Amino acid sequence: MGVGTPENLLESIGCGMDMFDCVLPTRNGRNAMLFTREGSLNLRNAAYKKDFSQIDAHCECYACRKFTRSYLRHLFLAKEILALQLATIHNLTFYLWLLREARTAIQERRFYTWKSSVLEQLGVEIPTV
Ligand SMILES: [Zn+2]
């Protein structure tokens, strides 16, 4: 319960856990924080005001196919409920992608190398021992 961030999930999977329950993807989505394959975004930031790109260039969810970062930011600032719904759809799609990829990497016996590359892609600092 309560696990968690993408890095928490991958670390836990590496320890053998295979079941999770957490509000993070939906709660963060409702607060304009979206997970992408290049790291997370806070769409309330002014940097996205004129960013007409897809939320996550590699995601094929409804929110990414139909709306830009700029428009979703506008919806958040206007307090439109659609913003929360679209962000939730996207973040859940991201988590499903992440776990599907983890499952495939385990089946192909390359989980730890895949995990390192994904964490690097997500911009997560990997502690050195
Ligand atoms: Zn998406």
Side-chain angles (χ1 to χ4, degrees):
M1 299 292 280
V3 176
T5 63
E7 53 268 33
N8 291 155
L9 292 175
L10 298 185
E11 197 61 40
S12 299
I13 291 168
C15 293
M17 294 176 215
D18 63 0
M19 187 180 295
F20 307 94
D21 182 16
C22 187
V23 300
L24 198 70
T26 54
R27 185 179 60 206
N28 282 15
R30 292 191 306 271
N31 287 295
M33 191 284 217
L34 283 83
F35 295 97
T36 77
R37 293 174 207 197
E38 283 83 39
S40 58
L41 313 172
N42 184 339
L43 288 182
R44 291 188 191 279
N45 290 345
Y48 301 110
K49 186 173 184 176
K50 293 185 179 180
D51 186 341
F52 302 107
S53 63
Q54 191 170 310
I55 299 163
D56 182 335
H58 306 285
C59 182
E60 296 189 5
C61 81
Y62 178 76
C64 287
R65 283 184 289 115
K66 300 291 185 183
F67 302 95
T68 65
R69 293 176 178 185
S70 175
Y71 186 67
L72 196 51
R73 178 180 185 275
H74 159 74
L75 292 175
F76 272 110
L77 296 182
K79 300 186 187 315
E80 286 285 343
I81 193 74
L82 180 60
L84 285 60
Q85 295 169 324
L86 293 171
T88 298
I89 288 169
H90 170 74
N91 277 353
L92 290 175
T93 301
F94 174 86
Y95 268 60
L96 289 170
W97 165 80
L98 183 70
L99 295 176
R100 193 176 307 115
E101 290 292 311
R103 183 178 301 122
T104 299
I106 290 168
Q107 290 168 339
E108 295 175 356
R109 299 181 185 275
R110 57 180 176 82
F111 175 76
Y112 293 102
T113 53
W114 170 83
K115 177 185 140 193
S116 294
S117 68
V118 167
L119 290 177
E120 185 178 325
Q121 194 179 356
L122 294 175
V124 175
E125 294 281 328
I126 303 168
T128 54
V129 180

